[in-house]
Amino acid sequence: MGHGSDYDCPRLGKVGILDFSFWILDFRFLGKTSLLFGLVFALSGGTVQAHGGGVPQVTNAKAGPYRVSVWTQPDPLRTGEVHFTVAVSQPGPIDQEAGAPILNAVVELQLIPATGIDYALRVFATHDEAVNKLFYEADVDLVAEGVWQVVVSVEGPSGLDQTDFTVEVLPPATFNWWLVFGGAVVVLAGVGWIIAKSSR
């Protein structure tokens, strides 16, 4: 019927391995090819981000009577959605160290672009979407590349105060078709190797 060796399928009878190369009827093959397609997904830049953590922007920064730490995702920051994770605590026994966490504060982020655009973004960081309820989290849609000033305001048991820092936001990432093509070649070669091995 086809070229090369035959594969004895319980339902379809004997079919040519090379003619039926993309019909993988054994779950062992399915598992292996799933790993190969996972490799292509990784090569093409597919990522899964979980809330919390990220790149530290400030660590135990002084905000009056509070100590504030901030992490951001993704890395590097690009225009579009940016995730902020904030920790607020009392001062520790040693300067620049954090003490007990403060869980009942009101945390506001104000983001100001340094591009001359006359506006600022404001968003509250809360425990609502936080995986770890010790942190305050927020998502912000940054529409412009360049340097942004981030002002973190904390209102808690000891009053209102703030700290600030700057981040650089890059333009959107371009899609690397050559990388995807190379990954597809790896997948097809792997599938061909698995089928050839099974025919022995």
Side-chain angles (χ1 to χ4, degrees), residues 34-35 80 85 108 138-139 172 174 177 184:
S34 295
L35 291 176
T85 299
E108 183 184 38
D139 292 314
T174 56
W177 286 106

Side-chain angles (χ1 to χ4, degrees), residues 6-20:
D6 289 339
Y7 180 81
D8 192 2
C9 175
R11 292 186 180 181
L12 301 179
K14 290 188 176 182
V15 295
I17 290 294
L18 296 182
D19 291 341
F20 221 144

Side-chain angles (χ1 to χ4, degrees), residues 38-49:
L39 174 63
V40 173
F41 180 75
L43 289 173
S44 63
T47 57
V48 177
Q49 294 278 1

Side-chain angles (χ1 to χ4, degrees), residues 42-157:
L43 289 173
S44 63
T47 57
V48 177
Q49 294 278 1
H51 281 186
V55 177
Q57 299 294 344
V58 292
T59 303
N60 298 328
K62 289 184 178 181
Y66 311 111
R67 296 296 178 266
V68 175
S69 297
V70 182
W71 298 263
T72 58
Q73 293 182 21
D75 179 28
L77 297 180
R78 296 187 182 276
T79 54
E81 185 176 278
V82 173
H83 186 77
F84 288 86
T85 299
V86 182
V88 180
S89 65
Q90 298 175 353
I94 302 176
D95 195 28
Q96 299 302 320
E97 286 192 359
I102 298 174
L103 305 179
N104 60 345
V106 177
V107 179
E108 183 184 38
L109 304 176
Q110 181 179 3
L111 296 97
I112 307 166
T115 56
I117 302 176
D118 189 19
Y119 75 96
L121 300 174
R122 294 177 182 269
V123 63
F124 287 98
T126 69
H127 300 296
D128 294 345
E129 300 298 328
V131 175
N132 187 333
K133 299 304 180 182
L134 294 176
F135 299 109
Y136 303 81
E137 300 194 18
D139 292 314
V140 184
D141 190 18
L142 299 182
V143 297
E145 61 188 85
V147 176
W148 288 71
Q149 180 186 17
V150 181
V151 181
V152 184
S153 300
V154 178
E155 185 175 4

Side-chain angles (χ1 to χ4, degrees), residues 14-28:
K14 290 188 176 182
V15 295
I17 290 294
L18 296 182
D19 291 341
F20 221 144
S21 60
F22 291 100
W23 288 84
I24 302 174
L25 303 175
D26 193 308
F27 283 106
R28 292 172 300 175

